[in-house]
């Protein structure tokens, strides 16, 4: 694996105001963990170039201003600005060339599965694998050929071929990828949709019976008016009889 190089400067404290000032000057505040934890800052342009090329799984030589010897590190963690989406802080882990370390390595699928021609879909479920090796043996990635995968078949981490000097420490039973049938969307049948909608006659019948507490319909109001008219007409008829009796 190619080792990239970045120059850095030491910083005296981790105050927010100091870190913000460094960012405005084009630096990324960082910390290097090792035998002694060291506060540093790296040039954003140089780090972005290395990060875009090698990612977070490659070895980096950091040369601190004033020190002649480079320190070999891995990127342990980093923070991203939630608005501008660029890296604003990096944690580096200093490594010992003679001691094995554990790290995650990307897994790349190569080829087109045979099951794709049968209408299948390739599902990639495991994108990295946890390995152990000496820092000098860390691979940039691990390839696996998926050409022979048919519909319904899958590959697991145990199917990966580890490079020389690299040991798999992840669960070998973990599924890596599979060729599956595409998911089908359920369609609403026209008959079912028609049954769910009320018939025209049913709607009319429902309209003829007002809900409890609702105002009466126009027909009910007319009937009530007719009854009141009849009630008023009866007293008038009685008054007419009384007038005849007086005569």
């Amino acid at each position: 694996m190619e080792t990239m190089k970045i120059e850095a400067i030491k910083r005296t404290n981790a105050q927010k105001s100091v870190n913000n000032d460094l960012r405005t000057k084009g630096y990324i505040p960082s910390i290097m963990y090792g035998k002694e934890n060291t506060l540093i800052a790296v040039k954003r342009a140089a780090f972005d170039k290395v990060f875009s090329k090698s990612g977070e799984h490659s070895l980096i030589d950091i040369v601190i201003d004033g020190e002649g010897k480079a320190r070999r590190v891995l990127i342990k963690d980093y923070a991203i600005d939630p608005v501008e989406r660029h890296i604003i802080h990096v944690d580096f882990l200093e490594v010992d060339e003679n001691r094995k370390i554990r790290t995650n390595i990307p897994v790349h699928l190569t080829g087109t599965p045979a099951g794709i021609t049968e209408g299948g879909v390739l599902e990639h479920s495991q994108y990295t694998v946890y390995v152990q090796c000496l820092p000098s043996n860390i691979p940039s990635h691990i390839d696996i050929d998926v050409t022979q995968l048919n519909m319904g078949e899958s590959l697991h981490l145990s199917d990966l071929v580890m490079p020389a000097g690299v040991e798999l420490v992840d669960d070998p039973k973990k599924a890596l990828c599979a060729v599956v049938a595409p998911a089908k969307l359920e369609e609403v049948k026209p008959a079912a949709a028609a049954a769910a909608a009320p018939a025209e006659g049913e709607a009319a019948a429902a309209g003829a019976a007002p809900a409890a507490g609702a105002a009466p319909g126009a027909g009910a109001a007319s009937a009530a008016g007719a009854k009141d008219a009849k009630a008023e007409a009866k007293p008038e008829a009685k008054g007419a009889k009384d007038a005849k009796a007086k005569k």
Side-chain angles (χ1 to χ4, degrees):
M1 175 194 294
E2 180 184 2
T3 303
M4 311 297 289
K5 183 179 289 188
I6 299 178
E7 294 183 353
I9 60 173
K10 280 189 177 181
R11 54 192 177 107
T12 56
N13 60 63
Q15 292 181 359
K16 186 176 181 180
S17 58
V18 175
N19 290 342
N20 288 338
D21 183 55
L22 284 169
R23 293 186 182 105
T24 59
K25 293 178 180 178
Y27 285 90
I28 302 176
S30 311
I31 184 169
M32 185 187 301
Y33 293 98
K35 293 180 180 179
E36 294 183 1
N37 298 339
T38 307
L39 295 174
I40 61 173
V42 297
K43 273 287 189 179
R44 177 181 304 283
F47 177 82
D48 287 347
K49 182 179 179 180
V50 170
F51 190 77
S52 62
K53 183 177 180 179
S54 303
E56 59 184 291
H57 308 286
S58 299
L59 289 172
I60 301 173
D61 281 342
I62 291 185
V63 181
I64 301 177
D65 187 31
E67 296 184 3
K69 187 179 180 181
R71 301 192 192 183
R72 187 150 292 183
V73 301
L74 283 171
I75 297 174
K76 180 181 179 183
D77 200 3
Y78 57 89
I80 297 178
D81 186 285
V83 177
E84 298 183 6
R85 306 306 300 170
H86 60 247
I87 294 176
I88 57 175
H89 190 277
V90 184
D91 291 346
F92 295 103
L93 176 64
E94 189 172 4
V95 298
D96 185 339
E97 289 291 328
N98 299 314
R99 296 185 64 179
K100 290 184 178 182
I101 61 173
R102 294 186 175 189
T103 185
N104 284 301
I105 301 300
V107 176
H108 294 174
L109 308 183
T110 63
T112 301
I116 297 294
T117 59
E118 303 171 16
V121 176
L122 178 63
E123 286 189 351
H124 191 176
S125 53
Q126 188 76 17
Y127 290 86
T128 61
V129 59
Y130 200 44
V131 302
Q132 176 177 277
C133 60
L134 290 173
S136 58
N137 291 334
I138 298 176
S140 59
H141 63 276
I142 298 175
D143 291 332
I144 184 168
D145 186 11
V146 298
T147 306
Q148 301 301 320
L149 274 182
N150 294 307
M151 180 79 79
E153 294 181 343
S154 61
L155 292 174
H156 298 78
L157 297 190
S158 57
D159 296 308
L160 291 171
V161 178
M162 295 290 109
V166 180
E167 176 188 354
L168 175 68
V169 293
D170 218 332
D171 183 1
K173 296 180 181 179
K174 279 185 180 178
L176 178 63
C177 62
V179 177
V180 299
K184 293 183 179 180
L185 296 176
E186 294 185 4
E187 297 182 359
V188 179
K189 295 181 179 180
E200 184 176 351
E202 292 175 350
S222 300
K227 289 181 180 179
D228 292 340
K230 288 181 180 179
E232 291 176 359
K234 287 182 180 179
E236 291 178 1
K238 184 179 179 181
K241 289 180 179 180
D242 293 340
K244 289 180 180 180
K246 288 179 180 179
K247 289 180 179 179

